[in-house]
């Protein structure tokens, strides 16, 4: 064997030993770091520092933040590691008011609850009290409104059931500007029509209609009143065709031309 090569190999041995020592030191440092990190995590998980310190609720209007938090079961004694987001979301969405919920955790100890409530379509009158009605037809009888509502139609003489749900569905199909123009809707069934309703509009007109064609015909309301004298109030009949009869006149009904067609 060439003596020069043997000398070169001997020169490399100290370098190899040094590389191995450095690698061993790096491995030891990593293991120590991992060990102490686990200790810190365990200590944090067992200490009051891991308890929930702040709960923020976003998107609520009908439900108060305290009601929502109560339904989650989360308190400031709750360990943030024990929070099951999927379970809480599922439980919140069981509430009739909540359409969608999402739970987020901002470390180290903040919980954020984002919800989307069902749309409020109308108010339900019962014994001179008013209760919100949601898009699914649910009447919130634990949400009594102290004053007469002005931001949605008030429903009179409706029983909770299929007729009320059909009324709410029909209102939901209308554009906001038309729905907001309705002050009151009274359920006024006839012998010939169990679905008859009478509406009182914010502009002073009255509308006679049937639920079977209500949303399809009521969508043309702006076009209809544009053909009428706003100073002469009366009843707009949308049951068959479109007719207007003034309160103070005994003249024959006036037919209203629908420039969009009856459909």
């Amino acid at each position: 064997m060439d003596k020069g090569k043997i000398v070169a190999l001997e020169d490399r041995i100290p370098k190899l030993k040094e590389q191995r020592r450095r690698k061993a030191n790096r491995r030891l440092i990593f293991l120590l770091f991992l060990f102490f990190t686990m200790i810190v995590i365990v200590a944090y998980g067992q200490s009051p520092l891991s308890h929930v310190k702040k709960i923020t609720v976003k998107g609520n209007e009908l439900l108060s933040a305290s009601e929502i938090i109560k339904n989650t079961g989360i308190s400031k004694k709750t360990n943030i590691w024990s929070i099951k987001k999927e379970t809480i979301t599922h439980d919140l969405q069981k509430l009739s008011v909540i359409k969608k919920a999402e739970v987020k955790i901002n470390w180290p100890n903040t919980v954020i609850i984002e919800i989307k409530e069902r749309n409020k379509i109308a108010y339900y009158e019962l014994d001179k009290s008013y209760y919100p009605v949601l898009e699914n037809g649910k009447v919130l009888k634990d949400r009594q409104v102290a004053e007469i509502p002005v931001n949605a139609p008030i429903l009179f003489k409706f029983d909770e059931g299929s007729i009320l749900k059909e009324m709410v569905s029909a209102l939901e199909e209308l554009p906001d500007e038309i729905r907001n123009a309705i002050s009151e809707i009274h359920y006024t069934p006839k012998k010939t029509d169990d679905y008859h309703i009478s509406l009182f509009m914010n502009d002073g007109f009255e509308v006679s209609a049937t639920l079977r064609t209500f949303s399809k015909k009521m969508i043309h309301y702006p076009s209809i009143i544009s053909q009428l004298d706003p100073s002469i109030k009366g009843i707009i009949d949308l049951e068959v065709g479109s007719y207007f009869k003034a309160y103070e006149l005994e003249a024959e009904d006036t037919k209203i031309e629908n420039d969009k067609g009856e459909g």
Side-chain angles (χ1 to χ4, degrees), residues 21-77:
R21 187 181 65 81
R22 289 178 180 176
K23 185 180 293 185
N25 287 343
R26 285 198 296 269
R27 186 182 296 113
L28 178 60
I29 292 171
F30 173 75
L31 291 174
L32 287 173
F33 173 78
L34 185 62
F35 175 73
F36 284 111
T37 299
M38 291 178 66
I39 290 177
V40 170
I41 292 174
V42 171
Y44 170 75
Q46 298 298 321
S47 74
L49 293 174
S50 65
H51 292 174
V52 174
K53 292 293 185 292
K54 184 179 180 182
I55 306 172
T56 301
V57 179
K58 299 179 180 180
N60 59 308
E61 181 182 345
L62 294 170
L63 292 177
S64 67
S66 60
E67 287 176 297
I68 294 170
I69 293 171
K70 183 179 179 181
N71 277 280
T72 66
I74 301 173
S75 71
K76 292 191 174 181
K77 294 181 179 180

Side-chain angles (χ1 to χ4, degrees), residues 58 97 172:
K58 299 179 180 180
V97 179
E172 194 176 12

Side-chain angles (χ1 to χ4, degrees), residues 88-154:
I88 294 172
T89 297
H90 182 264
D91 290 343
L92 286 175
Q93 290 176 171
K94 286 182 179 178
L95 300 176
S96 58
V97 179
I98 297 179
K99 191 172 187 177
K100 184 179 180 181
E102 185 177 3
V103 179
K104 300 178 180 178
I105 294 177
N106 278 2
W107 299 97
N109 45 32
T110 298
V111 177
I112 299 174
I113 303 169
E114 296 181 354
I115 66 168
K116 182 179 181 181
E117 295 179 336
R118 297 188 186 276
N119 292 331
K120 177 182 62 184
I121 300 298
Y123 286 92
Y124 182 82
E125 190 277 339
L126 182 64
D127 297 329
K128 296 183 180 180
S129 295
Y130 307 95
Y131 306 90
V133 183
L134 303 180
E135 61 188 56
N136 59 355
K138 176 71 175 178
V139 180
L140 303 181
K141 290 189 176 179
D142 59 342
R143 306 283 156 186
Q144 181 177 347
V145 179
E147 299 179 353
I148 297 177
V150 295
N151 58 347
I154 303 174

Side-chain angles (χ1 to χ4, degrees), residues 200-219:
F200 295 89
M201 309 300 292
N202 290 324
D203 57 16
F205 289 102
E206 181 180 343
V207 176
S208 177
T210 177
L211 267 174
R212 289 173 173 149
T213 58
F214 171 70
S215 58
K216 183 171 65 175
K217 291 191 174 184
M218 194 65 186
I219 199 170

